[in-house]
Amino acid sequence: MEIKRKYLKEVNSTNLYAKEHLVDTEDRTIIYTYKQTAGRGRLNRKWKYVGEDNIYASFVLKPSNRLEPVYANLTQYLSVVISRILEGYGLSPQIKWPNDVLINRKKIAGILSESIVRGEELAGIVLGVGINLNCAKEIFADIDKPATSLFLELGSFVDKEEFLEELYLNFFLYYDKFIRGGFPYIREEYIKRALFLNQMVKVAGSSEIIEGVAVDITQAGALVLKDNNNNEKTLWIGDIL
Ligand code: BTN
Protein backbone atom coordinates (compact mmCIF):
# COMPACT_ATOMS: atom_id res chain seq x y z
CA MET A 1 0.00 0.00 0.00
CA GLU A 2 1.32 3.40 -0.93
CA ILE A 3 1.45 5.85 1.99
CA LYS A 4 0.16 9.31 1.12
CA ARG A 5 1.81 11.65 3.57
CA LYS A 6 2.57 15.26 4.11
CA TYR A 7 5.17 16.32 6.61
CA LEU A 8 5.17 19.78 8.16
CA LYS A 9 8.18 21.00 10.06
CA GLU A 10 6.06 23.06 12.41
CA VAL A 11 2.35 23.86 12.54
CA ASN A 12 -0.20 25.24 14.98
CA SER A 13 -2.38 22.10 14.71
CA THR A 14 -2.37 19.33 12.10
CA ASN A 15 -6.18 19.27 12.32
CA LEU A 16 -6.43 22.99 11.61
CA TYR A 17 -3.94 22.70 8.76
CA ALA A 18 -5.81 19.73 7.27
CA LYS A 19 -9.10 21.65 7.40
CA GLU A 20 -7.55 24.70 5.76
CA HIS A 21 -5.99 22.59 2.98
CA LEU A 22 -8.82 20.12 2.60
CA VAL A 23 -9.64 20.88 -1.02
CA ASP A 24 -6.15 20.20 -2.29
CA THR A 25 -5.43 17.26 -0.02
CA GLU A 26 -6.08 13.81 -1.44
CA ASP A 27 -8.32 11.29 0.30
CA ARG A 28 -6.32 9.01 2.67
CA THR A 29 -3.46 11.43 3.23
CA ILE A 30 -1.78 11.58 6.61
CA ILE A 31 -0.50 14.99 7.63
CA TYR A 32 2.04 15.01 10.46
CA THR A 33 4.45 17.29 12.17
CA TYR A 34 7.38 17.21 14.57
CA LYS A 35 6.29 20.40 16.22
CA GLN A 36 2.69 21.26 17.02
CA THR A 37 2.36 24.58 18.77
CA ALA A 38 -1.39 24.82 19.42
CA GLY A 39 -2.70 21.25 19.57
CA ARG A 40 -6.41 20.88 20.16
CA GLY A 41 -8.18 18.19 22.14
CA ARG A 42 -11.77 17.00 22.54
CA LEU A 43 -14.37 19.16 24.27
CA ASN A 44 -12.41 22.36 23.65
CA ARG A 45 -9.36 21.23 25.52
CA LYS A 46 -5.74 21.69 24.52
CA TRP A 47 -3.31 18.95 23.50
CA LYS A 48 0.11 19.59 24.92
CA TYR A 49 3.24 19.49 22.78
CA VAL A 50 5.41 16.86 24.45
CA GLY A 51 8.43 16.89 22.15
CA GLU A 52 9.31 15.98 18.60
CA ASP A 53 9.58 12.22 19.08
CA ASN A 54 5.85 11.86 19.55
CA ILE A 55 2.99 11.62 17.10
CA TYR A 56 0.84 14.56 16.04
CA ALA A 57 -1.02 13.55 12.91
CA SER A 58 -4.29 13.96 11.03
CA PHE A 59 -5.85 11.59 8.53
CA VAL A 60 -7.73 13.33 5.73
CA LEU A 61 -10.67 11.16 4.69
CA LYS A 62 -13.17 11.70 1.92
CA PRO A 63 -15.30 8.54 2.01
CA SER A 64 -18.32 10.15 0.30
CA ASN A 65 -19.91 13.54 -0.13
CA ARG A 66 -22.72 12.85 2.32
CA LEU A 67 -22.43 12.63 6.08
CA GLU A 68 -23.13 9.04 7.23
CA PRO A 69 -23.66 7.95 10.86
CA VAL A 70 -20.69 5.55 10.68
CA TYR A 71 -18.26 8.46 10.35
CA ALA A 72 -18.96 9.38 13.96
CA ASN A 73 -17.46 6.01 14.92
CA LEU A 74 -14.16 6.57 13.11
CA THR A 75 -12.56 7.70 16.37
CA GLN A 76 -13.56 4.41 17.97
CA TYR A 77 -12.23 2.48 14.98
CA LEU A 78 -8.91 4.33 15.32
CA SER A 79 -8.79 3.59 19.06
CA VAL A 80 -9.06 -0.13 18.24
CA VAL A 81 -6.34 0.17 15.57
CA ILE A 82 -3.97 1.88 18.04
CA SER A 83 -4.75 -0.71 20.71
CA ARG A 84 -3.89 -3.54 18.32
CA ILE A 85 -0.56 -1.90 17.49
CA LEU A 86 0.27 -1.41 21.17
CA GLU A 87 -0.58 -5.05 21.83
CA GLY A 88 2.07 -5.88 19.23
CA TYR A 89 4.54 -4.31 21.67
CA GLY A 90 3.35 -6.69 24.39
CA LEU A 91 1.19 -4.11 26.19
CA SER A 92 -2.45 -4.35 27.30
CA PRO A 93 -4.14 -1.11 26.26
CA GLN A 94 -7.68 -0.23 27.24
CA ILE A 95 -10.17 2.11 25.66
CA LYS A 96 -11.95 4.72 27.75
CA TRP A 97 -15.22 5.57 26.04
CA PRO A 98 -15.46 7.04 23.55
CA ASN A 99 -11.90 6.91 22.23
CA ASP A 100 -9.05 7.50 24.67
CA VAL A 101 -6.38 4.81 24.68
CA LEU A 102 -4.90 4.05 28.10
CA ILE A 103 -2.27 1.78 29.55
CA ASN A 104 -2.62 0.95 33.24
CA ARG A 105 -5.25 3.71 33.40
CA LYS A 106 -2.85 6.30 32.03
CA LYS A 107 -3.59 8.00 28.73
CA ILE A 108 -1.24 7.29 25.86
CA ALA A 109 -3.31 8.45 22.87
CA GLY A 110 -6.09 10.93 22.17
CA ILE A 111 -8.25 11.34 19.08
CA LEU A 112 -10.15 14.33 17.70
CA SER A 113 -12.38 14.03 14.65
CA GLU A 114 -13.79 16.98 12.76
CA SER A 115 -16.22 16.83 9.84
CA ILE A 116 -16.22 19.62 7.31
CA VAL A 117 -19.60 20.19 5.72
CA ARG A 118 -20.19 22.77 2.99
CA GLY A 119 -23.86 23.34 2.31
CA GLU A 120 -25.36 19.88 1.90
CA GLU A 121 -22.03 18.27 1.06
CA LEU A 122 -19.44 16.60 3.20
CA ALA A 123 -16.10 18.04 2.10
CA GLY A 124 -14.11 15.64 4.26
CA ILE A 125 -13.24 14.32 7.68
CA VAL A 126 -10.10 15.21 9.59
CA LEU A 127 -9.23 12.51 12.08
CA GLY A 128 -6.48 13.79 14.35
CA VAL A 129 -4.43 11.68 16.68
CA GLY A 130 -1.81 12.40 19.29
CA ILE A 131 0.26 9.48 20.59
CA ASN A 132 2.84 9.74 23.35
CA LEU A 133 5.70 7.69 22.00
CA ASN A 134 8.89 8.83 23.61
CA CYS A 135 8.30 11.33 26.37
CA ALA A 136 9.63 11.24 29.90
CA LYS A 137 7.45 11.41 33.01
CA GLU A 138 8.32 15.03 33.89
CA ILE A 139 6.65 16.37 30.76
CA PHE A 140 3.24 15.30 32.12
CA ALA A 141 3.72 17.18 35.42
CA ASP A 142 1.27 19.96 34.46
CA ILE A 143 -1.36 17.66 32.95
CA ASP A 144 -4.30 17.09 35.28
CA LYS A 145 -4.92 13.45 34.32
CA PRO A 146 -2.52 10.49 34.44
CA ALA A 147 -0.59 10.02 31.21
CA THR A 148 2.12 7.74 29.92
CA SER A 149 4.22 7.08 26.83
CA LEU A 150 5.32 4.00 24.98
CA PHE A 151 8.89 4.74 26.07
CA LEU A 152 7.83 4.78 29.73
CA GLU A 153 5.95 1.50 29.37
CA LEU A 154 8.63 -0.33 27.38
CA GLY A 155 11.80 1.26 28.70
CA SER A 156 13.09 1.70 25.17
CA PHE A 157 12.94 4.32 22.44
CA VAL A 158 10.38 3.81 19.66
CA ASP A 159 11.08 4.95 16.11
CA LYS A 160 8.49 7.56 15.20
CA GLU A 161 8.58 7.05 11.44
CA GLU A 162 8.17 3.29 11.82
CA PHE A 163 5.26 3.72 14.21
CA LEU A 164 3.60 6.20 11.88
CA GLU A 165 3.84 3.78 8.97
CA GLU A 166 2.42 0.99 11.07
CA LEU A 167 -0.41 3.28 12.08
CA TYR A 168 -1.19 4.23 8.49
CA LEU A 169 -1.07 0.67 7.15
CA ASN A 170 -3.14 -0.79 9.98
CA PHE A 171 -5.69 1.99 9.75
CA PHE A 172 -6.37 1.37 6.09
CA LEU A 173 -6.17 -2.42 6.31
CA TYR A 174 -9.78 -2.69 7.52
CA TYR A 175 -10.98 0.86 6.79
CA ASP A 176 -13.21 -0.03 3.82
CA LYS A 177 -14.76 -2.94 5.70
CA PHE A 178 -15.39 -0.68 8.68
CA ILE A 179 -17.03 2.01 6.54
CA ARG A 180 -19.34 -0.65 5.08
CA GLY A 181 -20.02 -2.51 8.31
CA GLY A 182 -20.14 0.40 10.75
CA PHE A 183 -19.58 0.10 14.49
CA PRO A 184 -20.95 -3.49 14.65
CA TYR A 185 -17.88 -4.49 12.60
CA ILE A 186 -15.55 -3.51 15.50
CA ARG A 187 -17.94 -3.68 18.47
CA GLU A 188 -16.57 -6.89 19.93
CA GLU A 189 -12.97 -5.72 19.50
CA TYR A 190 -13.91 -2.44 21.16
CA ILE A 191 -15.83 -3.99 24.05
CA LYS A 192 -13.11 -6.45 24.95
CA ARG A 193 -10.78 -3.51 25.62
CA ALA A 194 -13.35 -1.16 27.14
CA LEU A 195 -12.41 0.20 30.53
CA PHE A 196 -15.20 0.87 33.08
CA LEU A 197 -17.74 -1.49 31.55
CA ASN A 198 -19.95 -2.86 34.37
CA GLN A 199 -18.52 -0.27 36.74
CA MET A 200 -20.01 2.83 38.35
CA VAL A 201 -18.96 5.92 36.40
CA LYS A 202 -19.54 9.65 36.27
CA VAL A 203 -19.82 11.11 32.80
CA ALA A 204 -19.58 14.80 32.03
CA GLY A 205 -22.07 15.42 29.24
CA SER A 206 -22.59 18.68 27.41
CA SER A 207 -24.36 20.34 30.35
CA GLU A 208 -24.54 17.95 33.31
CA ILE A 209 -22.73 15.14 35.08
CA ILE A 210 -24.51 11.81 34.88
CA GLU A 211 -23.82 8.92 37.22
CA GLY A 212 -24.55 5.25 36.72
CA VAL A 213 -23.24 1.81 35.91
CA ALA A 214 -21.79 1.56 32.40
CA VAL A 215 -23.81 -1.43 31.24
CA ASP A 216 -23.29 -1.52 27.51
CA ILE A 217 -21.93 -0.03 24.32
CA THR A 218 -24.71 0.00 21.71
CA GLN A 219 -24.47 -1.16 18.08
CA ALA A 220 -23.95 2.53 17.27
CA GLY A 221 -21.06 2.96 19.74
CA ALA A 222 -23.03 4.90 22.36
CA LEU A 223 -22.57 4.34 26.11
CA VAL A 224 -25.51 3.00 28.13
CA LEU A 225 -25.67 3.98 31.80
CA LYS A 226 -28.06 2.48 34.35
CA ASP A 227 -28.88 4.56 37.42
CA ASN A 228 -29.95 3.40 40.92
CA ASN A 229 -33.58 3.23 39.83
CA ASN A 230 -32.66 0.97 36.90
CA ASN A 231 -33.36 3.71 34.38
CA GLU A 232 -31.16 3.50 31.34
CA LYS A 233 -29.69 6.49 29.58
CA THR A 234 -27.81 6.37 26.27
CA LEU A 235 -24.96 8.83 25.86
CA TRP A 236 -23.50 9.86 22.50
CA ILE A 237 -20.96 12.34 23.69
CA GLY A 238 -19.16 12.96 26.96
CA ASP A 239 -16.15 12.27 29.05
CA ILE A 240 -15.85 9.62 31.75
CA LEU A 241 -14.44 11.39 34.82
C1 BTN B 1 -8.11 14.40 23.07
O1 BTN B 1 -7.78 13.39 23.69
O2 BTN B 1 -8.68 15.35 23.61
C2 BTN B 1 -7.81 14.47 21.58
C3 BTN B 1 -6.43 14.92 21.30
C4 BTN B 1 -6.09 14.97 19.83
C5 BTN B 1 -4.71 15.53 19.58
C6 BTN B 1 -4.30 15.45 18.15
S1 BTN B 1 -2.59 15.83 17.92
C7 BTN B 1 -2.80 15.93 16.20
C8 BTN B 1 -4.16 16.56 15.94
N1 BTN B 1 -4.06 18.00 15.86
C9 BTN B 1 -4.66 18.60 16.88
O3 BTN B 1 -4.69 19.82 17.09
N2 BTN B 1 -5.25 17.68 17.68
C10 BTN B 1 -5.04 16.35 17.17
Side-chain angles (χ1 to χ4, degrees), residues 5-41:
R5 60 178 121 198
K6 180 162 196 182
Y7 164 63
L8 307 166
K9 213 165 170 195
E10 180 176 333
V11 71
N12 49 4
S13 147
T14 55
N15 267 37
L16 275 181
Y17 181 94
K19 288 199 287 181
E20 279 162 14
H21 296 82
L22 195 63
V23 180
D24 26 77
T25 306
E26 254 188 88
D27 176 32
R28 303 182 190 216
T29 300
I30 190 163
I31 297 175
Y32 67 104
T33 186
Y34 282 4
K35 188 154 189 205
Q36 181 169 260
T37 54
R40 298 159 62 235

Side-chain angles (χ1 to χ4, degrees), residues 196-202 211-214 226-228 240:
F196 297 126
L197 216 49
N198 301 317
Q199 290 177 30
M200 191 73 184
V201 292
K202 278 186 190 162
E211 228 177 305
V213 177
K226 198 183 245 179
D227 69 15
N228 290 338
I240 299 181

Side-chain angles (χ1 to χ4, degrees), residues 92-96 101-108 145-148 153 194-197 199-201 240-241:
S92 305
Q94 286 188 295
I95 302 171
K96 179 168 160 278
V101 183
L102 282 74
I103 292 178
N104 298 324
R105 300 201 170 221
K106 290 177 253 176
K107 185 157 163 174
I108 192 162
K145 286 189 193 141
T148 190
E153 298 301 321
L195 191 67
F196 297 126
L197 216 49
Q199 290 177 30
M200 191 73 184
V201 292
I240 299 181
L241 301 173

Side-chain angles (χ1 to χ4, degrees), residues 12-16 36 38-43 45-47 55-58 99-100 107 109-112 114 127-131:
N12 49 4
S13 147
T14 55
N15 267 37
L16 275 181
Q36 181 169 260
R40 298 159 62 235
R42 287 177 66 234
L43 310 168
R45 287 191 290 241
K46 288 185 179 139
W47 185 257
I55 288 186
Y56 316 91
S58 300
N99 52 48
D100 284 348
K107 185 157 163 174
I111 300 166
L112 172 69
E114 299 180 79
L127 186 59
V129 57
I131 308 176

Side-chain angles (χ1 to χ4, degrees), residues 72-176:
N73 301 113
L74 273 163
T75 61
Q76 289 167 312
Y77 170 68
L78 182 53
S79 69
V80 170
V81 170
I82 295 170
S83 299
R84 284 204 193 114
I85 297 175
L86 295 175
E87 282 157 11
Y89 285 86
L91 300 171
S92 305
Q94 286 188 295
I95 302 171
K96 179 168 160 278
W97 183 87
N99 52 48
D100 284 348
V101 183
L102 282 74
I103 292 178
N104 298 324
R105 300 201 170 221
K106 290 177 253 176
K107 185 157 163 174
I108 192 162
I111 300 166
L112 172 69
S113 176
E114 299 180 79
S115 298
I116 300 89
V117 178
R118 296 207 176 102
E120 299 272 289
E121 292 225 328
L122 173 70
I125 299 160
V126 172
L127 186 59
V129 57
I131 308 176
N132 302 331
L133 282 194
N134 292 301
C135 37
K137 226 178 175 163
E138 301 71 54
I139 198 101
F140 301 129
D142 60 347
I143 297 180
D144 54 348
K145 286 189 193 141
T148 190
S149 72
L150 202 45
F151 171 78
L152 288 172
E153 298 301 321
L154 297 176
S156 55
F157 190 84
V158 180
D159 187 278
K160 180 182 156 136
E161 293 291 334
E162 267 173 37
F163 194 97
L164 205 69
E165 278 188 17
E166 214 179 337
L167 179 68
Y168 186 96
L169 296 175
N170 278 283
F171 183 81
F172 286 111
L173 193 58
Y174 301 109
Y175 171 76
D176 294 309

